Amino acid sequence: MLIGERIRRVQQRLSQRGLTMLELVLAMGLLFVSAGGVMTILVAGAGYPRRTQYVVVRDALAKIKLDELISASAAPLDPPTYVPVTANPDYEVKVEQTPSSWDPKDIWVTVSVRGPIPLQVESKISGMVVTSVGSSLFFTTYHCDSCHTVGTGPNGLGPNLNGSALAKGLAARNAALGGGFTLDQYIDESVRNPNAYRVIDPTTGSPYATSMTAYPLPADMPAADVQAISTYLQSL
């Protein structure tokens, strides 16, 4: 029964006859209890959409991170402890990994996201990262990730090397130097002679200032390794 209806009935009774002090106290107590119950429901209900929004954000951030790890096809470099999410520091992310039981080269990863700070509630999602020869060479053997990012990551000391970034670099290289290179040829040239064409840094409008280490001879980086890295990068 609505509070207003209860008040109206009490007023009717008051107008019909005089109430004893006990009846008046009981009537007022009933009104206060009813009002308190309604307020509790309103407060709890008001918090429900916000809590639901937190769950949606956590789930989305965890899914985005897992997709990045899977698309990279390489062992995650993230620490197994909570760190702020770069795009949304109100939330924290943690990546845990274990080798696959059926193929040690593949990795089972679990992404956990908690927040918003100071909340400790977590959302978790797991998936398999299937590593490739090219990704292993890129990240582990030659440590290309010390200067380059891949996937959706930002530029580092050198440009991002995902598929779209490479396509733009190739188009700019062919426009500047000619030759009609393919992506494989462009990547091979960048490995053997990185100063032949230096990509423009979009933040400065000038070529990247840091020159990468060159691998001019097959003895420095075998042609098969260059091709494997090229295939991996073009898959991103």
Side-chain angles (χ1 to χ4, degrees):
M1 184 181 296
L2 297 177
I3 296 176
E5 179 64 18
R6 292 183 181 275
I7 294 175
R8 186 181 63 79
R9 291 192 177 187
V10 169
Q11 289 174 335
Q12 286 179 344
R13 294 184 63 187
L14 285 172
S15 63
Q16 292 171 358
R17 66 179 180 83
L19 294 178
T20 65
M21 181 61 70
L22 178 59
E23 288 176 324
L24 182 59
V25 170
L26 290 176
M28 295 302 295
L30 179 60
L31 289 175
F32 282 125
V33 169
S34 299
V38 171
M39 289 304 297
T40 299
I41 292 172
L42 289 176
V43 171
Y48 179 76
R50 180 170 296 179
R51 291 195 299 272
T52 302
Q53 179 184 5
Y54 294 158
V55 173
V56 171
V57 172
R58 286 195 301 268
D59 289 353
L61 291 174
K63 180 65 166 57
I64 290 170
K65 183 62 179 179
L66 180 63
D67 287 347
E68 289 181 353
L69 295 174
I70 292 175
S71 67
S73 300
L77 301 177
D78 306 81
T81 56
Y82 274 107
V83 295
V85 176
T86 303
N88 195 335
D90 289 337
Y91 294 81
E92 297 177 313
V93 62
K94 175 176 66 176
V95 177
E96 299 169 287
Q97 54 181 302
T98 55
S100 165
S101 59
W102 55 85
D103 189 342
K105 296 191 301 298
D106 298 335
I107 302 165
W108 185 257
V109 297
T110 298
V111 177
S112 303
V113 174
R114 70 182 182 187
I117 298 171
L119 296 182
Q120 301 294 304
V121 183
E122 293 179 319
S123 288
K124 291 189 176 184
I125 187 172
S126 299
M128 181 66 67
V129 175
V130 179
T131 60
S132 66
V133 174
S135 69
S136 179
L137 292 169
F138 184 91
F139 288 99
T140 305
T141 304
Y142 297 105
H143 302 287
C144 306
D145 60 302
S146 61
C147 294
H148 297 282
T149 53
V150 294
T152 59
N155 294 332
L157 294 176
N160 188 311
L161 297 180
N162 63 29
S164 62
L166 284 172
K168 291 178 182 178
L170 172 63
R173 184 262 174 222
N174 284 340
L177 303 180
F181 271 25
T182 64
L183 268 176
D184 284 334
Q185 291 172 320
Y186 172 50
I187 292 171
D188 183 81
E189 178 185 63
S190 298
V191 168
R192 303 299 185 194
N193 183 16
N195 285 325
Y197 177 78
R198 295 168 67 178
V199 174
I200 301 298
D201 184 345
T203 61
T204 64
S206 301
Y208 278 91
T210 303
S211 179
M212 66 172 273
T213 301
Y215 297 88
L217 302 175
D220 301 315
M221 183 185 293
D225 287 3
V226 178
Q227 184 58 55
I229 291 174
S230 178
T231 300
Y232 162 64
L233 293 177
Q234 293 180 59
S235 71
L236 302 176

